[in-house]
Structure formats: C-alpha cells, structure tokens
Amino acid sequence: MPRGDQGSPSRRRGPRPRGAVRSALIEAGVELARSGGPEAVLLREVTRNVGVVPNAAYRHFPDRDGLLAAVRDEAVGNLARRMADGMSEVRAGPHTPTGARQRLRAVGHAYLEFARTEPGLFDTAFAVPDHPGGADTDERTPLGLLQAALDNLVDAGVLGPARRPNIEYPIWASVHGLAVLLRGPLRSLPEREKQRLEEQMLAFIAAAVS
C-alpha cells in the first residue's frame, strides 16, 4: 500500500557547506552579543541556536576565544559602517573646511550613537586585546575612519600638519571615555543631559583641532 507522503519532497537536509556553518555560528554569536554583551557569546549557545552538535564549533574555532574574536570583528565592522555612513551624509566636500569639520563630527557622533543604541556590540568590539583599528590605517576600521577625517582637516587647512601626528589617540580616548561613562557612572542621567554632554564633547574636539 503506497504511503501518503510518497510524492511529497523530502524534508531531510543535506550537510551544510563548511563556510555556511561558520557564518551561521558567527551570526548567532553576534545576536547573543547584541543582547548580552561579550559574556553571552558561548560555544554551546551558538551551536544550539544554529542547530548543530556542540563539537561542530571546534571545526571552525579553536576555542571560545576564537569565536569571540570573530564576533568582535563583526561588531567592529558594524561600528565602522555606522561611522562611514555618517561621513557619507556630509554634502560639503571632504577637503573644504566645512566638509572636513562636519566629517570629523559625524565620526564622533556615530561612535557615541553606536555605544548608546548597541551597547552589547559596543562592549564586544573591545572585548579582546586587539584594538578595532588594526596596525595600519585601513579606512574600513573605526580608527582608520577617524584618521581619514583628521587628514581631511589637514588638507583643508584647518589642522596644522605639525599637530596631526597621533592626535587621533587623545580624540579617540575622549570620545570612548565619554561613551563608557554614559553607560557606567553617568547612566542615571536623563537622556537630554546625556545628549548635551555628547554635544559638548564634540564641540570640545572641534575647537581642539581648529
């Protein structure tokens, strides 16, 4: 007697391609980081969310730190894209004084906004020793975007060339420090007051590089 589901397509799925499993594990890790920060990125959780056996994770990552580093890279990429999008919205040319100033402000504003709206990913971006700028000046990284904005200021005649070397680090430290304070000791402040502090910080940086 024929079975009733003989003509229906099989529901069995073949093995996933190796790259697809790795991407799925990282994506699951990103979602865990988004809701719970770096501490939430655990091998057993990502494998459960993806629907693979726990040992499958070790085919792609040597340990939990390896997975966290990959998730960190994704978080850094999200932050960089947010900053790049802010810079691209500036209509004035990057080599004009107005455009250069606005691009630097867009970089800082996007950084602070990301910390405020994506706290889990923000924490994850700095969860391992490698900083999210890399050793070079890759403009696809947060540090590279800041460096590019400062180079625009030099080209536009706003920032003197003699003051340019390494000025990105005190600027980065100032913006990052405020982001951490607003999520830590200053977290109880009203949102309007937090935004006022952010604007003061950005104005302070703009004055410092003029």
Side-chain angles (χ1 to χ4, degrees):
M1 184 174 181
R3 297 179 59 182
D5 60 352
Q6 188 174 9
S8 62
S10 173
R11 295 184 180 181
R12 294 185 61 185
R13 298 179 181 177
R16 302 187 190 192
R18 181 180 178 85
V21 174
R22 187 178 191 278
S23 297
L25 292 171
I26 295 174
E27 183 179 352
V30 169
E31 292 308 310
L32 290 171
R34 173 173 279 117
S35 60
E39 295 80 8
V41 181
L42 302 174
L43 286 169
R44 65 176 180 273
E45 291 297 327
V46 297
T47 54
R48 184 175 66 179
N49 291 348
V50 172
V52 296
V53 296
N55 286 342
Y58 293 102
R59 301 171 188 166
H60 307 278
F61 308 102
D63 49 28
R64 187 254 180 181
D65 288 343
L67 171 64
L68 181 59
V71 173
R72 182 277 315 271
D73 290 344
E74 289 295 315
V76 170
N78 286 342
L79 172 57
R81 284 189 291 274
R82 187 80 65 91
M83 295 166 69
D85 289 345
M87 295 175 75
S88 67
E89 292 175 1
V90 176
R91 294 187 177 183
H95 297 148
T96 65
T98 297
R101 289 189 179 98
Q102 290 180 352
R103 282 165 65 87
L104 179 63
R105 187 187 186 283
V107 164
H109 176 75
Y111 194 98
L112 292 168
E113 183 182 52
F114 187 84
R116 183 174 62 252
T117 60
E118 294 281 10
L121 293 183
F122 183 78
D123 289 346
T124 303
F126 302 94
V128 291
D130 293 340
H131 66 67
D136 54 18
T137 56
D138 187 348
E139 290 190 14
R140 294 168 296 179
T141 66
L143 178 58
L145 292 167
L146 172 58
Q147 290 170 329
L150 291 168
D151 291 341
N152 290 158
L153 287 172
V154 175
D155 295 338
V158 177
L159 177 64
R163 298 182 58 211
R164 171 63 187 87
N166 296 323
I167 198 173
E168 58 266 35
Y169 294 106
I171 292 175
W172 184 11
S174 299
V175 176
H176 185 82
L178 179 61
V180 172
L181 286 173
L182 291 177
R183 297 189 48 246
L186 303 181
R187 63 181 176 274
S188 61
L189 290 177
E191 287 302 314
R192 179 178 298 181
E193 182 67 12
K194 291 180 181 179
Q195 293 178 8
R196 186 182 69 81
L197 289 175
E198 290 183 0
E199 291 298 324
Q200 283 184 325
M201 170 60 70
L202 296 176
F204 176 80
I205 292 173
V209 298
S210 297

